[in-house]
């Protein structure tokens, strides 16, 4: 069942998504060659708790950390470790929080030093595809329109879309209906209504779309070893413009 949110609930979701956005902004200040993902995880947990939040992923289905840190060919659900980031890496950092009963969830792919220009192009295309999907998150459109916008942008550039992992409704649960696929046909799928809140999170691969899971039971990586990029924002559907509840502003203030 898709739970439509009241205006009051949307404001609670805005607060929790703002907190994850600010947390990612704090991480942006630290991300550099030589930093471990474990240290980023500790920083994120402290920041969330200092601001009244509870890490949203820690313990979720047994996940062992506050952040998902997915390096290079890792797509999503990478586990923080004591390995150091290296110049030329790219890393998706996904952060979730529960604040006053409502979840926030956002992800951004960061460049460490100077990655290969082809990898940076993949990152840029993936971020663009997210905003094209948000643009279709309007009353009267369908989720197939969102997926189609993302898929066609990625595939036009020669990239491929991960199919098995999708975006999701967001509310008092981290993952609610509907599923928000990053591929689809125009005019197909669930009809979008005012009051829906969902996360759009394209996972775009430089090579083929196929993925595999590591023995750790979490880390998803590309089968062909090519890199993958991942960006995520939460959007509330209104009677007018899409209302984006999370933001990359705090990250990009640091990076630019
Ligand atoms: Mg996420
Ligand atoms: Mg998500």
């Amino acid at each position: 069942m898709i739970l439509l949110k009241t205006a009051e609930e949307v404001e609670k979701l805005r607060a929790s998504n703002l907190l994850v956005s600010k947390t990612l902004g704090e991480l942006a200040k630290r991300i550099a060659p030589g930093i471990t993902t474990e240290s980023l995880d500790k920083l994120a947990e402290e920041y969330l708790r200092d601001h009244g939040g509870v890490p949203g992923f820690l313990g979720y289905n047994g996940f062992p950390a506050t952040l998902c840190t997915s390096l290079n060919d890792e797509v999503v659900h990478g586990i923080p470790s004591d390995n150091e980031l290296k110049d030329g890496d790219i890393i998706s950092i996904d952060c979730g929080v529960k604040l006053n009963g409502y979840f926030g969830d956002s992800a951004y792919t960061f460049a460490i030093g100077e990655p290969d220009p082809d990898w940076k192009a993949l990152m840029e295309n993936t971020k663009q595809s997210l905003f094209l999907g948000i643009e279709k998150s309007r009353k009267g459109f369908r989720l197939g329109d969102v997926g189609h916008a993302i898929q066609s942008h990625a595939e036009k550039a020669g990239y491929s879309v991960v199919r098995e992992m999708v975006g999701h409704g967001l509310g008092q649960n981290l993952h609610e209906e509907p599923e928000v696929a990053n591929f689809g046909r125009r005019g197909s799928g669930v009809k979008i209504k005012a009051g829906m809140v969902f996360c759009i999170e394209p996972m775009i691969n430089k090579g083929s779309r196929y993925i595999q899971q590591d023995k750790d039971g979490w880390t998803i990586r590309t089968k062909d070893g090519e890199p993958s990029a991942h960006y995520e924002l939460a959007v509330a559907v209104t009677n007018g413009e899409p209302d984006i509840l999370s933001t990359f502003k705090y990250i990009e203030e640091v990076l630019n």
Side-chain angles (χ1 to χ4, degrees):
M1 195 175 63
I2 298 173
L3 300 168
L4 299 179
K5 307 306 188 288
T6 63
E8 197 179 25
E9 287 183 292
V10 169
E11 292 317 308
K12 288 183 172 168
L13 285 161
R14 193 186 312 282
S16 48
N17 280 285
L18 197 61
L19 179 52
V20 285
S21 300
K22 287 181 174 172
T23 306
L24 290 171
E26 289 302 307
L27 298 178
K29 296 175 188 169
R30 305 294 183 89
I31 290 172
I35 293 291
T36 69
T37 45
E38 253 172 20
S39 71
L40 296 174
D41 191 74
K42 190 162 174 281
L43 181 75
E45 180 172 358
E46 282 172 9
Y47 191 85
L48 293 174
R49 292 193 192 280
D50 283 352
H51 292 81
V54 175
F57 301 162
L58 184 64
Y60 185 80
N61 293 330
F63 189 75
T66 293
L67 300 175
C68 296
T69 54
S70 307
L71 201 61
N72 301 330
D73 66 322
E74 296 171 2
V75 179
V76 286
H77 303 167
I79 300 173
S81 78
D82 58 2
N83 295 332
E84 293 180 358
L85 297 175
K86 297 190 305 292
D87 187 13
D89 285 339
I90 65 172
I91 188 165
S92 151
I93 298 190
D94 197 341
C95 183
V97 70
K98 191 175 190 184
L99 177 68
N100 297 324
Y102 288 80
F103 280 89
D105 184 11
S106 179
Y108 195 89
T109 299
F110 296 84
I112 316 302
E114 255 330 292
D116 186 302
D118 286 355
W119 293 28
K120 289 177 85 170
L122 170 71
M123 291 164 60
E124 193 55 34
N125 179 282
T126 306
K127 190 164 66 170
Q128 288 164 353
S129 77
L130 166 58
F131 285 99
L132 292 171
I134 290 171
E135 182 53 33
K136 300 292 181 194
S137 302
R138 293 169 184 270
K139 189 172 83 169
F141 281 72
R142 288 178 183 271
L143 287 178
D145 296 310
V146 173
H148 177 81
I150 295 167
Q151 180 182 14
S152 55
H153 189 68
E155 291 183 351
K156 241 180 269 167
Y159 305 134
S160 63
V161 176
V162 172
R163 306 294 176 97
E164 295 86 345
M165 325 292 295
V166 295
H168 50 90
L170 186 72
Q172 296 186 58
N173 305 292
L174 177 59
H175 295 127
E176 296 185 356
E177 287 183 42
E179 289 195 344
V180 183
N182 300 301
F183 58 94
R185 278 186 302 111
R186 271 197 200 115
S188 73
V190 170
K191 201 165 188 178
I192 298 172
K193 292 184 181 154
M196 283 185 179
V197 174
F198 47 77
C199 289
I200 305 180
E201 49 179 315
M203 289 148 264
I204 307 296
N205 295 351
K206 183 167 173 291
S208 90
R209 71 177 179 85
Y210 297 102
I211 56 171
Q212 59 191 4
Q213 190 172 47
D214 282 5
K215 288 205 186 77
D216 64 16
W218 285 105
T219 311
I220 302 289
R221 65 177 73 237
T222 61
K223 249 188 175 154
D224 61 10
E226 292 284 338
S228 185
H230 173 222
Y231 294 82
E232 175 178 26
L233 290 170
V235 58
V237 180
T238 71
N239 288 310
E241 292 295 305
D243 184 6
I244 308 173
L245 302 181
S246 38
T247 175
F248 296 148
K249 180 177 82 171
Y250 302 102
I251 298 169
E252 293 182 344
E253 277 173 3
V254 175
L255 300 182
N256 295 332

